[in-house]
């Protein structure tokens, strides 16, 4: 982060690109002076000028705060001297204003140091997120998509939700999921699963083999964290693995690892795809087998919508869950034609935030995707790395 970027993010009070954080303390100083000079000796408030550098310390830089501290002392002396001797505030209040200005400068320096540390941590978190959730071009591997990720921890901005698209010689694969838990441990697990998906999704012909590789990777990761003595050795992940076969443009293959079922949204309404009977990744050994592969129809005019449980488990003040299908159906019906992925993502995002009043209790991901008409899966490049510079709208 450059000094210019830091300066722009540090000053929330800007007008037409200019920093105007100095205006409130200046107005406060002028107001105190005018009020003191236009009232009687029974209402001397010039000592209140100590609030000026204190206000500047909260919203301005160190040098600006120092300037207001000096200005407060000079103004105090000038205004107090304008009164007759018996009505002057005196030396005691002068020391109060001077010491108050000095403490304001120190407080401002401490605040800016903490702000810089916080912004640095947020930048690290954002970089970690971009590394795990690599940017994807809006049209990629024969698919048009849009996605948004909202972290429940707005300061950390990282969590266990993930998604990715991987083209390959056996068709395009989509992977969306949610790792149990929060923090860097969840991010580490998501990165491990995505790495396996990007390799297996490209090389393996059978989607069931990709699913098997993901289950094995989850078990290996759990054994590794357990061997390290960490407490998250029982972590698991819900996910949906989807294949877009090139030889069947009107259908998709779905493997559901205990995740929210995908929704097919089209001119005929909203329908829920079969959720399957699979367990989350990491629990395959309990079921005695892997999650089955289901081939389900997906019409050319339908858009696939996938969400994590941050959407379906969002509650309002009365404790009611967000009714995704009920909210989505009329909105889609009002717009005839093929649903746009970004439109669906925006509708769900705004609806969830409105429903819960902006108080997310879990990381939330909304991802929508549809086939590009007349596009082949391989026309955008054979490997996901070619689109690394693309930006995902969020």
């Amino acid at each position: 982060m450059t000094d210019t970027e830091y300066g722009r993010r540090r000053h929330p009070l800007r007008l037409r690109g200019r920093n105007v954080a100095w205006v409130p303390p200046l107005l406060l100083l002028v107001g105190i002076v005018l009020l003191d000079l236009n009232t009687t000796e029974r209402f001397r408030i010039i000592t209140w000028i100590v609030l000026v550098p204190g206000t500047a310390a909260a919203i301005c830089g160190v040098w600006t705060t120092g300037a207001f501290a000096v200005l407060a002392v000079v103004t105090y002396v000038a205004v107090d001297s304008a009164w007759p001797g018996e009505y002057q505030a005196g030396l005691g209040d002068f020391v109060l204003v001077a010491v108050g200005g000095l403490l304001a400068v120190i407080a401002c320096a401490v605040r800016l140091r903490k702000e810089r540390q916080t912004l640095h941590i947020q930048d690290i978190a954002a970089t970690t997120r971009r590394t795990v959730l690599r940017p994807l071009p809006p049209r990629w591997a024969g698919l048009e998509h849009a996605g948004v990720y909202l972290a429940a921890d707005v300061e950390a901005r990282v969590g266990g939700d993930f998604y990715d698209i991987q083209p390959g010689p056996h068709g395009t694969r989509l992977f969306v999921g949610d790792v149990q838990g929060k923090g860097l441990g969840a991010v580490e697990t998501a990165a491990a699963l995505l790495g396996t998906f990007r390799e297996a999704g490209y090389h393996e012909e059978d989607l069931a083999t990709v699913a098997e590789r993901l289950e094995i990777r989850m078990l290996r990761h759990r054994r590794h964290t357990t061997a390290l003595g960490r407490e998250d050795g029982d972590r698991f992940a819900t996910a949906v693995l989807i294949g877009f076969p090139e030889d069947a443009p009107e259908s998709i293959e779905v493997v559901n690892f205990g995740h929210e079922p995908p929704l097919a949204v089209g001119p005929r309404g909203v329908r829920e795809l079969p959720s399957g009977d699979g367990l989350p990744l990491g629990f395959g050994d309990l079921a005695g087998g892997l999650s089955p592969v289901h081939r389900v129809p997906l019409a050319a005019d339908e858009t696939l919508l996938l969400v994590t449980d941050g959407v379906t488990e969002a509650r309002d003040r009365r404790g009611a869950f967000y009714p995704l299908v009920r909210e989505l159906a009329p909105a889609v019906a009002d717009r005839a034609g093929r649903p746009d992925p970004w439109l669906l993502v925006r509708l769900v995002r705004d609806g969830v935030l409105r429903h819960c009043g902006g108080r997310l209790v879990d990381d939330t991901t909304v991802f929508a995707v549809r086939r590009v008409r007349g596009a082949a899966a391989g026309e955008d490049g054979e490997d996901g790395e070619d689109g690394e510079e693309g930006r995902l709208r969020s």
Side-chain angles (χ1 to χ4, degrees):
M1 180 175 57
T2 65
D3 292 339
T4 301
E5 291 172 338
Y6 172 70
R8 290 175 179 173
R9 294 167 63 176
R10 191 187 70 195
H11 299 297
L13 298 178
R14 304 186 73 86
L15 181 63
R16 295 182 179 178
R18 295 179 178 273
N19 175 30
V20 294
W22 53 271
V23 174
L26 180 61
L27 293 177
L28 179 61
L29 184 145
V30 173
I32 291 173
V33 170
L34 292 177
L35 191 59
D36 187 83
L37 293 176
N38 289 277
T39 54
T40 66
E41 68 278 0
R42 296 178 179 274
F43 192 69
R44 293 295 317 282
I45 66 166
I46 190 59
T47 308
W48 291 14
I49 207 168
V50 73
L51 298 176
V52 172
T55 302
I59 58 178
C60 299
V62 173
W63 288 105
T64 304
T65 302
F68 274 111
V70 173
L71 182 61
V73 171
V74 173
T75 304
Y76 172 84
V77 172
V79 174
D80 197 46
S81 299
W83 285 84
E86 64 269 24
Y87 300 126
Q88 292 181 4
L91 179 62
D93 288 347
F94 170 81
V95 173
L96 174 64
V97 173
V99 172
L102 178 62
L103 293 177
V105 174
I106 296 175
C108 180
V110 173
R111 174 183 66 85
L112 293 180
R113 181 180 179 184
K114 294 296 183 182
E115 283 185 0
R116 186 180 290 273
Q117 291 175 346
T118 300
L119 292 175
H120 182 60
I121 292 173
Q122 290 179 351
D123 285 340
I124 293 175
T127 301
T128 302
R129 178 190 166 200
R130 287 194 300 269
T131 301
V132 176
L133 301 181
R134 60 181 179 179
L136 298 170
R139 291 195 174 192
W140 178 233
L143 300 177
E144 183 179 5
H145 68 88
V148 64
Y149 170 83
L150 303 174
D153 186 347
V154 295
E155 296 296 330
R157 300 182 181 178
V158 293
D161 288 8
F162 58 86
Y163 52 84
D164 199 12
I165 297 174
Q166 179 59 56
H170 310 294
T172 299
R173 273 74 185 262
L174 169 65
F175 191 38
V176 178
D178 178 12
V179 176
Q180 174 262 336
K182 296 180 176 63
L184 293 180
V187 176
E188 179 185 7
T189 304
L193 291 173
L194 285 173
T196 298
F197 164 72
R198 289 162 185 163
E199 289 300 310
Y202 180 86
H203 291 287
E204 301 295 344
E205 180 178 1
D206 190 359
L207 194 67
T209 305
V210 180
E212 181 181 9
R213 293 276 300 275
L214 290 169
E215 175 68 22
I216 293 173
R217 185 67 183 92
M218 188 68 198
L219 294 176
R220 289 174 54 203
H221 183 73
R222 287 172 56 176
R223 284 195 294 267
H224 178 258
T225 54
T226 301
L228 291 174
R230 287 164 40 179
E231 297 180 354
D232 57 351
D234 58 349
R235 198 183 295 274
F236 61 88
T238 63
V240 177
L241 176 63
I242 297 177
F244 294 85
E246 295 181 357
D247 58 348
E250 295 290 329
S251 66
I252 58 174
E253 295 178 329
V254 181
V255 182
N256 193 313
F257 300 97
H259 195 72
E260 301 290 336
L263 299 176
V265 184
R268 294 169 296 282
V270 182
R271 62 185 179 91
E272 186 176 288
L273 300 185
S275 60
D277 49 3
L279 292 179
L281 287 167
F283 290 161
D285 52 346
L286 300 179
L290 297 173
S291 303
V293 178
H294 297 272
R295 176 163 289 207
V296 297
L298 184 69
D301 58 358
E302 288 184 314
T303 299
L304 201 60
L305 177 65
L306 301 102
V307 301
T308 58
D309 56 9
V311 172
T312 55
E313 295 182 3
R315 297 173 181 259
D316 60 13
R317 293 184 177 180
R318 296 173 297 178
F321 291 110
Y322 176 65
L324 175 60
V325 176
R326 192 178 69 194
E327 291 285 331
L328 193 60
V332 173
D334 292 340
R335 297 172 171 84
R338 197 175 183 218
D340 178 76
W342 179 238
L343 169 65
L344 293 180
V345 168
R346 187 173 56 194
L347 285 173
V348 177
R349 178 199 61 190
D350 295 346
V352 169
L353 292 176
R354 183 171 57 252
H355 182 78
C356 67
R359 299 180 301 274
L360 296 173
V361 298
D362 196 4
D363 298 327
T364 300
T365 294
V366 186
F367 194 83
V369 61
R370 68 182 179 185
R371 283 190 172 98
V372 177
R373 291 176 175 173
E379 72 176 28
D380 298 307
E382 293 185 353
D383 200 341
E385 304 305 320
D386 295 339
E388 203 65 30
E389 297 299 324
R391 297 294 298 174
L392 178 67
R393 292 178 290 179
S394 60

